[in-house]
Structures are given as structure tokens and as C-alpha cells.
């Protein structure tokens, strides 16, 4: 006998389930729960914009208030996805403008957003509050002006790393005088100078402003004006942190910082000069997040700075920090959870800084809560990786980028299979892994055997044969996203594990050995997958069937084939079969 | 003498409210406790009922007698104003430690009595029981029927039963597949089509070979080596053409983590020879065969349908095909190389 609930009670129970996973599970329990759940779903996350159509989403979830969506594959960040690939958000905005008049939030990542879209958003949704555009492109500052001017209750405008055509800084002045609702503003990716007085007034009249990320064009000497108007800030991204040193600027800056007692996150700091760093020292003890990836300061100053931040949980920094700076970090920041070290000169032939595997080992020893790592370096050894694995079994994200492809263990000259093997054996909760260095099929066997919670795997210049890919596809039970470039993986593993692909969000393979014939076969056999061949050399038909395709993107979908593809992408399905009849 | 004294001490001070549950049973409860329930309170104030056994307040059906007792206990505890937050929290935590069935009844009853704090408490507890569980596990906990069809059970966002276009498209594909099979069967034997083409007409066999077999198959495969060699030449040529990027600063000085990925600009030699075979210690693997997938063809369901429905669907599919065909000729042009 079923435990019965009235609908309202069930809805109320569901309202305490925050994760999409739980809501999805609930909707699969039985017919009545499915129905109830779909009417009360308010937040929707679509990991791949081509996996479903706006119509299907709207039909199933009629009362959505917040939507989040991702478009291009992750490797677009490395310029591997050609211009014009797709991920146009306009059809979605258009459909939602009619179906969801009460939409409040739109968060997009790697999508093409036009000024038309932004204008439509600003005019269609009366309660619109949150717009986050992460690594998006296709719009100009005119589009931003529409948003500023028309969204009366705008709380968040975040342009994280988007590519915006910067026509002028005038857009900011479009925020009307009665706009006081801003909580978060991130314009750090923009180039043009905005009207400083408009910015000042905006900051001054928004009492709930918690996050303010300025762009580089905001001069250092003006920063105190803003800080004094917003002492309640929790996250600050400065503009340029450089200026001819003057004592008065320094003291204004120091004083302004000292008033910001709630500050927990600091970023920006373009071109930071050491002389001005001490002005920030008053906020350092409270900092949990520090992004120094634009600060070209050297190791001694960096060491000094991080030593002032004992509560740091997240640090993004250039490799100027060197092993010595990482040692200081390991000593001072016992709460550190996430570390990202970016290369200052990735294309230089010789190392320009003294950053080695030792830095990472030291941090792994000294920071017991370290769980998320992105580390660019020039040398690595199996011994170091084994040590890191032993020290940090709580690792969740481990992305290692040894700059030279296929670089072996620099001590033994062996492949790094053992090292990465140790990582996956020890870190049982590992969800994301990026491999680099010299790697054979053996590392994939380790991964397939041990990385049972792994959701995302990035592989480049690794492996010997299809066996490697086979290990991953057949062993990694939780795998959702797999991206591969320049590996000798071919048809067999892919075809043998075709069913696995329907349990994943997507698979990207470029410069591998998958033949056109295999792609066609896969596309024909798997109607619920879109098998898309990207080839800028021209139609794959013009080459032999056994010829490998340039790039391959496979994803599960209920939307059928794309209808907005450029002329260098082909979907493999029944159409291709008809060629041979 | 004593009896008389006792008589004076009778608890006439406390007043009681009389409540009647749907099954007819009546009980009395201290007024302040009962008034803690908005629904009861309203009844008392508006209709004056509840003052005696004959005028008991009828409670909503969802309030079962067993559950009423617990609810009244809850009210009795919380209506006392002197308690600290910590005390209340501890009480609440203990309160919800009951059988799932009872928790459901409590949530239900609390909702009908509009007792908001208890609704929240029980709902949160139920939500915690659901968190992190699979649909099967949830079904077990709440004794719910497994009545979604196989189709509907595709991961939720992929549910296609609602969308007629998707169903039609699938039927169309199924028919096209059948047509193709017919056409292939009529082909002359000894057709020189490459190996992979003939595989289209027959089911791909379930691959039961071991990992070692796969490896030797791959390593002994002459075709793939050729393909690899030609690909290498092309790749190295392209490498030189790609523009070099300076340290990731674009014109806005924005440093994408992305632009730092250096691999795109390096000339490297891909090894043509696979590394020497290592003896595999892993047991024979069973790669999933493709034939299993083919069973989910819409075509199979189609054949079992009622003929009237079938006819109607046929008509819809034809109509859809007509509409689709107007787009298809252009698509064909893209895929067929011009002669």
C-alpha cells in the first residue's frame, strides 16, 4: 500500500530538494510524482543546449523561474572548436519570452548571445534578476545597455570572461537613477573605460552590493572612492593595481581597504606593483579567495602576501609564485581547498621561473583540505604524483598540465602511468581529471579500474591504442564528459562501447583515428545520439571511408539532429546510409 | 473531611477542547494545546464549537487518531513559551525519528491542520530521506508503484512521450531503416561496397572477445596504420600554420585560463608504432554489444498497435515525411558529392 500524500505536501517536500539529481530521481519514481514534480520545478539546468529543444523543456516544465545552460564543448576554450560551430541561445530566449514571463535568472556558458537576445531578455521578463554570461560571445556593449536600462529589478550582471565587442563604456550610464537593486556586478572582461561618476553613483545607491569586479580601465587612485561608498563589499575585483607610487594614493588606498570589514574575496590586481601591496594587508586576514592570475608580482612579494592570509581557501596565481612561494602557502594557509597555478610563459622554450613538481608536493603535504588542483608545470615525476596521492586522498579535481606534450618522468624517463595510477587508486572521490605527460594504455587501465566516481576526463597526446579508450569507456561508471585530442584511439573501442555513449553527456575526439565509416555506423545504430563530424577539409564523402575524421562530437539528445549547423559539420544518421543504396 | 478537601482541588481551572476524528472517536485536549493549531483555533473562535463532547470539532479526514496524539504532543511541547531554541531543536529531532509511514501521515495531517512549523519539520525530514537516493530506492521507501513505461524512464529531461514530433520522427526513422534493409537485400551479391557498408544491413554481433583479442585485432589492422600515417602528415603541416599566441592576454588584458593551453602550437611526432603488447592481467571484458540497443526500435512497438491507431499514425508519419522531405533534398546535396 502506497504511503499517500496530498499534492501540496509532496510539493513542499520537493522544495527542500536542491540538487537536480534529486529532482530528476524524484520525477522517475512513478507517474504521479512525475506530474507533481514537473509543475513545481523552478530551476532547470541543461548541460548541452543541443540535447533537448526549447519546446520539450517548456512543455514539460511550465513554471520555470531560473534556467542555466551550456553550449560549446569545453575544448572550445583551447580554440579547438571552429568559429561558427553553434550554441546560439536566441531560439531559447525567444521561446522562453513567451512561455516563462516570470523568468528571473538566465545563466549561460560558452554560448553565442547577441544584442538581440539581450534586448529581448530585458523587455520580456518583468521580474528579471540575474544574468550570468560565462565565456559567451556575440554581443556588444549595446546589448548590455538594454539590460541596464530595462531590467528594473536587476540583481546580478556577471560577464565572466565573455568576449564582448566593446563599443564604448557608455552602457553603464544606462542604469537608471532609481536602480538600487544591484547585488553583483562583474565587468572585468570589458576594455573600455566607463563613466566613473556613473559608476560611483551606481555603487553608492545600491546598499546590497556585495560583489563588484571592475575592469582594468578603472584607475587605482579612484578605487578608494568606490570602496568608501561600498564598505559592505564581500567580493572585490580591482582595476589596474599600478600607478606611479605616491604616498597619498597609498594612504587613501590603505584607509579604504581598512573600512571593508566584510571582504572575503579579492581579484583583479592587473599589473600589480609591490609597493602598493601592503595597502591590502588589512583585509588579508579575512580573505578566503584570492585571484592573482593577472598580478605579475614575483615570488618574494607573493610569499609575503599569502602569508598574510591564514584563512585562504582558494588561490589562483601565476607560476611566479615558484616553489618557495608555495612553501609559504603550505605553511600559512591550512584551510586551502583549491589551488590553480597558471603559466606566465607557456610558449617559452626554457623555464622562466623556478616552479617544479615540488611546489605541488609541498602544498599537498601542508594543506590537509586541498581537494581541487589545476597546475601548470614543466616537469613531473611518478614519485611526486605518488606522494601527492598518498597525502591527499580527499582530492576531487586534479588537473595537471605538463607544458611539453608527452613529457616523461624527468627522473626515470618512464611514462607517468604509475603516478596517475596512484592518484586514481588513492583518491576515491575523484570527479575530474586532466592528464598530461608521457602516458601509455596502462594509465587508462588504472583509470578504468579505479576511477569509479570520475565524471569528467581530459586526455591529450596519450595512449597507444584503442585499448586505452576501451578501458575508460567500459570502466568509468560515472563518466559524463570525455574529451580527447591527439590520441591514437580509433573505431573499435568506440563502436564496442557505443551504448556507453548514451549514458554520457558528450564525447569529443579531435585528431584521433576514428574513421568516417565508423562515424556513419555509429550514427545509424544509435538514433538517440547525435554523431557530428567536424571537418574543415571539406565533405567527408570526398575521402575514403577509412579516412579519419578531423573532429568528432557525440552527444545524447532527444532533439534529433541540429538544424543550425555550419557547412563544416555533418550529422551521421540514416541520411548517410542512403548514399550507398 | 479529607474528601471534601480533595473535592475543592479538582482541576476545574483548565478548560478543554473536544476534537473528533473522521472515524468518529472523540477526545479532549487542553485548550492552549489545541489552540496552537490554526485550524482548530479558528473553529473555536468562529463557530464556538469544541466546548463539549456533543459539540466536538470535526477534524479533517487526514488526521488519523494515532497521529493526532503525536501532533497534540508536539503542540503541547512547543506552545510553552519558556523553552530555549536548543530544547526545541532536540525535541524536534527526536520527534521525527519514527517510521516512514508515520512521518508521511504526520506531514499530511499537519498540512490539513495548517500547522506550518510541523509541516516544515516533517517535510524536511522526508526530503532528507529522499536525498541521494535512486528512483528504485525511493519507490521502496514509500511503497510506490513502478508505473512509468520504459520510454518514460529515460533520464527525465529526455522524456519523449510528451512530444509528438519526436515520436513521429522516430517512427519515420524506423520506417526508413526498414526501407533501407529491403533495398540492401535486393542488391546484387558480390557488391564491392567497403566492409563497413555491408554491416549496415546485418546486426552487429555481440563482441565477446577478450581484451587481448581486441588489442591484437587493432595492432594487426593494416588499414588504421595507413590512416594514421596520412593523418600525421596533415597534422604537422597544419601545426605550422596556426598562429602563435602570446601569453594569453587579449586586447582587454583578459587572461583566460584557456589560452594558456599550449599544446596547440607545438610540433610533435606521433609515434606510428604501437608500444609492445603487455600481458593483460585483467579478466575478459564483455564490451556491450550494439544489438541490445536495436531492440528498442520504435518499429517493434508499432507492429503491436491497434490497426485504427496504426492507420492514423501512418497518416501522421506520411504528412510529417512530406514536410520533412521538403528539407531533405537540400540535405542530400550536402552529403552526396557532386559528380
Amino acid at each position: 500500500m502506497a504511503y499517500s500524500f496530498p499534492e501540496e505536501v509532496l510539493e513542499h517536500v520537493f522544495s527542500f530538494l536542491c540538487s537536480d539529481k534529486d529532482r530528476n530521481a524524484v520525477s522517475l519514481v512513478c507517474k504521479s510524482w512525475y506530474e507533481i514534480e514537473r509543475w513545481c520545478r523552478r530551476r532547470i539546468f541543461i548541460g548541452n543546449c543541443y540535447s533537448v529543444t526549447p519546446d520539450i523543456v517548456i512543455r514539460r516544465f511550465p513554471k520555470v523561474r531560473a534556467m542555466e545552460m551550456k553550449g560549446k564543448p569545453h575544448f572550445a576554450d583551447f580554440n579547438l572548436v571552429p568559429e561558427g560551430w553553434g550554441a546560439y541561445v536566441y531560439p531559447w530566449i525567444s521561446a522562453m519570452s513567451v512561455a516563462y514571463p516570470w523568468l528571473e535568472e538566465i545563466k549561460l556558458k560558452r554560448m553565442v548571445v547577441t544584442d538581440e537576445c539581450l534586448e529581448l531578455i530585458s523587455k520580456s521578463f518583468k521580474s528579471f534578476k540575474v544574468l550570468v554570461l560565462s565565456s559567451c560571445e556575440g554581443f556588444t556593449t549595446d546589448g548590455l545597455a538594454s539590460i541596464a536600462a530595462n531590467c528594473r529589478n536587476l540583481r546580478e550582471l556577471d560577464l565572466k570572461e565573455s568576449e564582448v565587442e566593446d563599443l564604448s563604456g557608455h552602457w553603464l550610464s544606462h542604469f537608471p537613477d532609481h536602480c538600487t537593486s544591484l547585488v553583483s556586478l562583474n565587468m572585468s572582461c570589458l576594455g573600455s573605460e566607463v563613466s566613473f561618476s556613473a559608476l560611483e553613483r551606481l555603487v553608492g545607491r545600491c546598499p546590497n552590493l556585495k560583489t563588484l569586479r571592475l575592469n582594468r580601465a578603472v584607475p587605482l587612485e579612484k578605487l578608494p572612492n568606490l570602496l568608501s561608498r561600498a564598505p559592505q563589499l564581500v567580493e572585490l575585483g580591482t582595476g589596474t593595481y599600478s600607478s606611479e607610487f605616491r604616498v597619498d594614493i597609498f594612504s587613501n588606498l590603505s584607509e579604504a581597504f581598512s573600512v571593508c570589514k566584510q571582504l572575503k574575496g579579492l581579484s583583479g590586481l592587473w599589473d600589480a606593483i609591490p609597493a602598493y601591496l601592503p595597502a591590502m594587508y588589512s583585509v588579508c586576514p579575512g580573505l578566503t579567495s584570492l585571484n592573482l592570475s593577472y598580478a605579475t608580482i614575483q615570488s618574494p612579494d607573493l610569499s609575503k602576501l599569502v602569508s598574510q592570509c591564514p584563512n585562504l581557501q582558494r588561490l589562483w596565481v601565476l607560476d611566479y609564485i615558484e616553489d618557495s612561494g608555495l612553501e609559504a602557502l603550505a605553511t600559512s594557509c591550512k584551510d586551502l581547498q583549491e589551488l590553480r597555478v597558471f603559466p606566465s610563459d607557456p610558449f617559452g622554450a626554457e623555464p622562466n621561473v623556478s616552479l617544479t613538481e615540488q611546489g605541488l608536493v609541498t602544498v599537498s603535504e601542508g594543506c590537509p583540505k586541498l581537494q581541487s588542483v589545476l597546475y601548470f608545470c614543466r616537469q613531473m615525476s611518478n614519485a611526486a604524483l605518488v606522494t601527492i596521492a598518498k597525502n591527499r586522498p580527499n582530492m576531487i579535481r586534479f588537473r595537471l598540465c605538463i607544458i611539453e606534450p608527452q613529457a616523461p618522468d624527468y627522473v626515470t624517463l618512464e611514462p607517468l602511468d604509475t603516478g596517475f595510477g596512484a592518484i586514481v587508486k588513492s583518491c576515491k572521490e575523484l570527479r575530474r581529471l586532466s592528464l598530461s605527460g608521457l602516458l601509455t594504455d596502462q594509465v587508462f587501465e588504472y583509470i578504468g579500474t579505479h576511477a569509479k566516481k570520475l565524471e569528467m576526463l581530459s586526455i591529450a597526446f596519450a595512449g597507444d591504442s584503442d585499448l586505452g579508450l576501451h578501458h575508460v569507456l567500459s570502466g568509468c561508471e560515472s563518466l559524463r564528459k570525455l574529451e580527447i585530442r591527439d590520441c591514437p584511439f580509433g573505431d573499435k573501442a568506440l563502436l564496442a562501447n557505443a551504448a556507453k555513449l548514451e549514458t554520457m553527456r558528450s564525447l569529443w575526439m579531435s585528431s584521433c583515428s576514428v574513421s568516417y565509416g565508423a562515424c556513419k555506423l555509429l550514427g545509424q545504430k544509435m538514433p538517440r545520439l547525435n554523431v557530428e563530424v567536424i571537418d574543415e577539409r571539406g565533405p567527408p564523402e570526398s575521402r575514403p571511408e577509412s579516412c579519419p575524421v578531423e573532429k568528432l562530437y557525440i552527444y545524447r539528445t532527444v532533439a534529433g539532429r541540429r538544424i543550425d549547423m555550419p557547412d563544416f559539420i555533418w550529422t551521421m544518421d540514416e541520411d548517410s546510409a542512403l548514399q550507398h543504396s | 473531611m479529607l474528601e471534601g478537601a480533595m473535592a475543592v482541588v479538582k482541576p476545574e481551572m483548565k478548560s478543554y477542547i473536544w476534537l473528533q476524528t473522521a472515524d468518529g472517536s472523540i477526545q479532549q485536549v487542553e485548550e492552549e494545546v489545541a489552540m496552537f493549531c490554526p485550524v482548530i483555533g479558528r473553529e473555536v473562535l468562529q463557530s464556538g464549537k469544541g466546548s463539549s463532547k456533543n459539540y466536538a470539532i470535526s477534524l479533517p479526514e487526514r488526521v488519523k487518531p494515532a497521529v493526532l496524539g503525536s501532533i497534540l504532543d508536539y503542540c503541547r511541547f512547543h506552545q510553552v513559551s519558556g523553552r530555549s531554541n536548543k530544547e526545541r531543536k532536540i525535541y524536534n529531532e527526536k520527534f521525527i525519528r519514527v517510521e516512514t509511514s508515520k512521518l508521511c501521515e504526520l506531514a499530511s495531517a499537519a498540512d490539513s491542520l495548517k500547522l506550518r512549523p510541523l509541516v516544515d519539520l516533517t517535510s524536511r525530514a522526508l526530503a532528507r530521506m529522499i536525498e541521494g537516493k535512486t528512483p528504485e530506492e525511493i519507490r521502496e521507501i514509500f511503497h510506490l508503484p513502478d508505473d512509468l513505461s520504459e520510454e518514460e524512464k529515460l533520464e527525465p529531461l529526455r522524456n519523449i512521450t510528451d512530444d509528438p514530433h519526436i515520436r513521429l520522427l522516430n517512427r519515420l526513422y524506423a520506417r526508413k531503416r526498414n526501407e533501407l534493409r529491403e533495398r540492401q537485400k535486393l542488391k546484387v551479391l558480390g557488391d564491392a561496397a567497403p566492409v563497413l557498408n555491408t554491416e549496415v544491413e546485418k546486426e552487429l554481433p555481440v563482441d565477446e572477445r577478450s581484451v587481448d583479442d581486441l588489442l591484437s585485432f587493432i595492432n594487426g589492422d593494416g588499414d588504421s596504420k595507413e590512416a594514421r600515417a596520412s593523418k600525421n602528415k596533415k597534422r604537422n603541416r597544419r601545426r605550422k600554420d596556426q598562429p602563435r599566441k602570446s601569453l594569453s592576454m587579449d586586447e582587454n588584458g583578459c587572461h583566460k585560463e584557456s589560452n594558456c593551453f599550449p599544446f596547440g602550437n607545438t610540433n610533435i611526432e606521433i609515434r606510428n608504432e604501437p608500444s609492445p603488447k603487455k600481458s593483460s592481467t585483467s579478466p575478459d571484458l564483455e564490451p556491450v554489444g550494439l544489438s541490445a540497443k536495436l531492440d528498442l526500435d520504435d518499429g517493434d512497438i508499432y507492429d503491436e498497435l491497434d490497426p485504427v491507431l496504426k492507420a492514423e499514425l501512418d497518416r501522421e508519419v506520411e504528412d510529417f515525411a512530406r514536410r520533412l522531405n521538403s528539407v531533405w533534398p537540400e540535405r542530400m546535396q550536402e552529403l552526396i558529392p557532386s559528380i
Side-chain angles (χ1 to χ4, degrees):
Chain A
M1 193 199 63
Y3 302 157
S4 61
F5 282 105
E7 230 174 81
E8 313 82 63
V9 178
L10 209 48
E11 263 192 42
H12 198 57
V13 173
F14 295 165
S15 70
F16 294 112
L17 297 171
C18 306
S19 80
D20 285 315
K21 230 176 169 178
D22 287 330
R23 293 214 69 132
N24 287 347
V26 143
S27 65
L28 280 180
V29 167
C30 63
K31 268 188 165 49
S32 63
W33 280 38
Y34 173 86
E35 273 304 308
I36 297 168
E37 196 280 324
R38 68 180 259 262
W39 281 95
C40 67
R41 173 103 59 136
R42 297 280 176 265
R43 298 196 152 263
I44 198 104
F45 170 74
I46 298 165
N48 173 5
C49 62
Y50 289 118
S51 64
V52 70
T53 63
D55 289 341
I56 295 177
V57 174
I58 290 168
R59 197 184 331 258
R60 176 152 172 217
F61 301 114
K63 300 266 177 194
V64 163
R65 295 276 167 96
M67 81 94 82
E68 188 180 340
M69 190 157 62
K70 296 188 180 180
K72 298 187 203 171
H74 173 242
F75 269 178
D77 287 355
F78 306 115
N79 301 315
L80 287 176
V81 176
E83 199 65 36
W85 180 86
Y88 307 107
V89 79
Y90 188 80
W92 289 87
I93 307 290
S94 170
M96 293 193 303
S97 65
V98 174
Y100 298 146
W102 303 112
L103 193 70
E104 294 177 4
E105 285 185 27
I106 295 177
K107 297 184 183 175
L108 305 173
K109 189 165 187 179
R110 287 191 206 99
M111 294 201 74
V112 176
V113 182
T114 58
D115 285 347
E116 224 185 342
C117 296
L118 294 176
E119 201 177 324
L120 193 53
I121 291 172
S122 73
K123 301 254 167 80
S124 314
F125 308 116
K126 300 296 170 212
S127 316
F128 196 69
K129 297 192 169 70
V130 172
L131 183 64
V132 177
L133 301 175
S134 182
S135 303
C136 293
E137 57 174 358
F139 59 104
T140 76
T141 41
D142 284 351
L144 297 179
S146 311
I147 298 283
N150 300 320
C151 298
R152 303 175 151 267
N153 297 306
L154 194 67
R155 285 218 288 251
E156 254 184 76
L157 178 59
D158 188 339
L159 306 172
K160 281 201 221 305
E161 292 184 26
S162 290
E163 270 179 48
V164 186
E165 194 184 324
D166 208 324
L167 301 173
S168 84
H170 196 57
W171 66 274
L172 189 90
S173 310
H174 282 258
F175 277 109
D177 289 334
H178 56 74
C179 169
T180 57
S181 50
L182 270 188
V183 173
S184 169
L185 177 63
N186 178 359
M187 47 182 241
S188 56
C189 62
L190 298 177
S192 299
E193 203 175 329
V194 299
S195 149
F196 190 79
S197 56
L199 180 58
E200 242 183 342
R201 276 179 284 122
L202 180 63
V203 168
R205 65 175 182 266
C206 293
N208 298 319
L209 192 67
K210 295 277 186 302
T211 300
L212 178 64
R213 299 209 196 269
L214 305 168
N215 62 347
R216 198 182 194 178
V218 176
L220 183 59
E221 50 272 22
K222 298 258 181 83
L223 185 58
N225 298 40
L226 295 172
L227 292 182
S228 58
R229 279 171 174 73
Q232 76 282 1
L233 279 181
V234 175
E235 314 240 322
L236 170 70
T238 72
T240 179
Y241 207 75
S242 165
S243 168
E244 195 192 312
F245 186 79
R246 276 174 29 202
V247 178
D248 58 330
I249 298 181
F250 182 90
S251 60
N252 286 344
L253 203 53
S254 281
E255 207 186 305
F257 269 118
S258 66
V259 171
C260 296
K261 305 253 184 263
Q262 323 264 19
L263 210 58
K264 289 214 162 2
L266 193 57
S267 64
L269 301 167
W270 277 279
D271 328 305
I273 61 170
Y276 279 119
L277 289 179
M280 306 187 323
Y281 284 177
S282 60
V283 296
C284 285
L287 287 183
T288 57
S289 170
L290 186 54
N291 183 351
L292 298 168
S293 43
Y294 299 111
T296 46
I297 39 184
Q298 303 298 311
S299 182
D301 298 301
L302 281 169
S303 300
K304 209 159 166 212
L305 187 56
V306 300
S307 312
Q308 311 266 340
C309 307
N311 291 310
L312 208 57
Q313 291 172 15
R314 184 162 73 158
L315 176 66
W316 292 17
V317 71
L318 288 169
D319 57 8
Y320 291 131
I321 195 169
E322 297 188 335
D323 288 345
S324 50
L326 290 176
E327 212 178 301
L329 182 68
T331 312
S332 315
C333 306
K334 294 305 183 186
D335 275 349
L336 195 71
Q337 292 173 21
E338 179 179 328
L339 174 66
R340 295 195 192 190
V341 177
F342 298 106
S344 51
D345 181 22
F347 305 116
E350 294 300 316
N352 60 325
V353 291
S354 174
L355 180 98
T356 69
E357 82 283 5
Q358 190 51 50
L360 186 56
V361 172
T362 312
V363 178
S364 77
E365 266 157 14
C367 303
K369 298 191 190 163
L370 187 69
Q371 57 175 3
S372 176
V373 167
L374 170 59
Y375 199 75
F376 282 82
C377 60
R378 286 175 186 270
Q379 67 186 41
M380 187 50 62
S381 66
N382 281 311
L385 285 171
V386 169
T387 309
I388 293 166
K390 194 162 57 97
N391 290 336
R392 294 277 64 80
N394 51 323
M395 192 73 71
I396 291 179
R397 278 172 231 107
F398 190 73
R399 296 155 71 187
L400 183 66
C401 302
I402 306 167
I403 290 178
E404 187 66 30
Q406 300 183 320
D409 176 326
Y410 77 101
V411 178
T412 66
L413 297 183
E414 279 175 2
L416 290 172
D417 299 337
T418 316
F420 279 107
I423 296 277
V424 294
K425 273 183 223 166
S426 166
C427 309
K428 305 213 187 303
E429 299 297 313
L430 196 68
R431 292 204 302 255
R432 185 166 179 184
L433 179 63
S434 294
L435 305 171
S436 57
L438 182 64
L439 297 163
T440 71
D441 284 345
Q442 177 68 75
V443 73
F444 297 112
E445 193 182 330
Y446 292 141
I447 292 172
T449 311
H450 297 282
K452 295 305 181 188
K453 299 267 178 85
L454 193 65
E455 295 178 4
M456 182 168 176
L457 179 61
S458 307
I459 310 173
F461 302 100
D464 309 311
S465 70
D466 264 41
L467 202 49
L469 181 57
H470 176 70
H471 283 308
V472 171
L473 289 177
S474 57
C476 296
E477 291 161 4
S478 311
L479 198 62
R480 290 188 299 114
K481 289 181 280 182
L482 180 57
E483 46 184 24
I484 303 173
R485 62 163 295 182
D486 294 277
C487 295
F489 299 147
D491 303 344
K492 252 295 108 259
L494 203 56
L495 292 175
N497 291 285
K500 171 74 175 175
L501 298 174
E502 274 197 8
T503 69
M504 292 165 53
R505 184 189 296 174
S506 66
L507 167 64
W508 169 280
M509 291 178 76
S510 56
S511 306
C512 295
S513 312
V514 182
S515 70
Y516 175 50
C519 294
K520 279 197 294 187
L521 189 57
L522 198 60
Q524 286 151 19
K525 292 298 188 191
M526 310 294 291
R528 288 195 292 240
L529 293 180
N530 272 358
V531 178
E532 293 175 0
V533 168
I534 302 166
D535 215 316
E536 289 176 289
R537 298 172 293 183
E541 283 299 329
S542 58
R543 290 178 290 279
E545 289 248 323
S546 55
C547 188
V549 298
E550 210 169 66
K551 295 170 188 179
L552 179 60
Y553 187 51
I554 302 174
Y555 56 92
R556 66 181 174 190
T557 182
V558 290
R561 62 193 342 229
R562 281 176 59 181
I563 49 175
D564 62 354
M565 296 188 298
D567 58 11
F568 52 82
I569 302 185
W570 293 267
T571 304
M572 306 288 105
D573 55 21
E574 278 71 31
D575 282 3
S576 358
L578 289 165
Q579 304 319 305
H580 301 281
S581 52
Chain B
M1 197 57 204
L2 264 160
E3 262 185 294
M6 293 281 275
V8 172
V9 176
K10 247 202 183 153
E12 229 54 87
M13 314 292 217
K14 271 203 169 174
S15 56
Y16 286 81
I17 303 283
W18 294 86
L19 305 171
Q20 178 173 41
T21 46
D23 66 338
S25 58
I26 301 178
Q27 52 177 290
Q28 61 175 356
V29 69
E30 307 93 293
E31 184 179 356
E32 64 272 15
V33 174
M35 294 300 281
F36 199 70
C37 271
V39 160
I40 299 176
R42 215 179 319 138
E43 272 292 303
V44 168
L45 293 172
Q46 286 177 359
S47 69
K49 287 173 86 175
S51 49
S52 76
K53 205 170 181 177
N54 296 328
Y55 293 106
I57 294 174
S58 301
L59 295 177
E61 199 197 316
R62 281 191 260 139
V63 186
K64 315 272 185 237
V67 176
L68 179 60
S70 303
I71 293 185
L72 293 175
D73 285 340
Y74 178 90
C75 296
R76 192 169 292 119
F77 181 87
H78 282 286
Q79 55 90 24
V80 174
S81 45
R83 304 205 192 272
S84 71
N85 281 341
K86 191 170 179 182
E87 278 183 308
R88 293 185 194 273
K89 197 169 170 214
I90 294 173
Y91 179 88
N92 285 347
E93 274 162 23
K94 243 198 260 169
F95 188 81
I96 49 163
R97 245 179 274 151
V98 292
E99 295 251 318
T100 313
S101 52
K102 178 126 191 234
L103 203 52
C104 296
E105 285 180 350
L106 276 169
S108 216
D111 176 70
S112 62
L113 291 172
K114 301 276 176 278
L115 197 51
R116 192 90 223 161
L118 187 55
V119 175
D120 280 349
L121 179 65
T122 46
S123 299
R124 275 182 206 272
L126 288 165
R128 276 199 299 275
M129 291 173 68
I130 291 173
E131 261 162 23
K133 302 260 185 349
T134 66
E136 298 82 62
E137 288 168 333
I138 299 172
R139 244 176 262 136
E140 273 229 24
I141 295 171
F142 295 99
H143 295 224
L144 291 160
D146 186 0
D147 58 2
L148 286 165
S149 71
E150 271 308 312
E151 256 188 342
E152 289 165 313
K153 274 190 194 162
L154 294 176
E155 195 181 313
L157 208 56
R158 306 178 54 207
N159 186 292
I160 61 173
T161 53
D162 282 344
D163 196 290
H165 290 132
I166 297 292
R167 287 187 113 178
L168 290 176
L169 203 61
N170 281 341
R171 280 186 211 293
L172 189 64
Y173 284 159
R175 288 173 116 232
K176 287 282 174 198
R177 262 198 293 273
N178 288 333
E179 272 171 45
L180 183 70
R181 267 184 221 133
E182 298 307 310
R183 251 181 274 179
Q184 293 283 20
K185 281 178 191 155
L186 294 173
K187 263 178 143 175
V188 177
L189 281 166
D191 183 38
V195 172
L196 282 161
N197 267 341
T198 55
E199 283 193 75
V200 169
E201 54 181 89
K202 54 177 200 255
E203 321 269 272
L204 214 62
V206 176
D207 199 332
E208 283 163 342
R209 290 177 289 179
S210 71
V211 156
D212 281 347
D213 286 348
L214 278 173
L215 186 53
S216 54
F217 179 90
I218 291 154
N219 289 337
D221 189 347
D223 281 348
S224 58
K225 276 213 189 99
E226 255 171 40
R228 253 182 274 169
S230 61
K231 181 197 64 160
N232 284 338
K233 263 188 269 162
K234 291 206 173 97
R235 190 205 352 269
N236 285 338
R237 204 191 323 128
R238 235 180 319 123
R239 204 56 10 98
K240 294 191 186 96
D241 293 337
Q242 274 184 359
R244 284 195 128 224
K245 278 195 162 60
S246 61
L247 165 63
S248 44
M249 302 285 194
D250 59 21
E251 68 277 8
N252 293 330
C254 283
H255 172 143
K256 277 183 162 71
E257 159 210 319
S258 44
N259 286 341
C260 293
F261 198 92
F263 290 170
N265 289 335
T266 327
N267 272 326
I268 46 117
E269 287 296 319
I270 297 285
R271 283 170 297 145
N272 280 340
E273 299 306 311
S275 62
K277 270 180 270 182
K278 299 182 188 94
S279 59
S280 173
T281 50
S282 55
D284 282 359
L285 295 165
E286 279 175 85
V288 178
L290 287 180
S291 53
K293 266 299 132 212
L294 297 171
D295 293 336
L296 287 174
D297 256 6
D298 246 13
D300 299 333
I301 309 165
Y302 176 79
D303 289 325
E304 285 158 341
L305 286 174
D306 161 53
V308 174
L309 196 56
K310 231 191 196 179
E312 194 183 304
L313 279 165
D314 278 349
R315 256 180 283 123
E316 284 181 79
V317 172
E318 292 299 350
D319 189 43
F320 195 70
R322 232 178 295 121
R323 273 185 280 140
L324 210 60
N325 276 331
S326 59
V327 176
W328 273 15
E330 289 114 73
R331 291 247 158 245
M332 302 299 201
Q333 288 306 316
E334 283 177 320
L335 298 167
I336 303 169
S338 45
I339 300 158

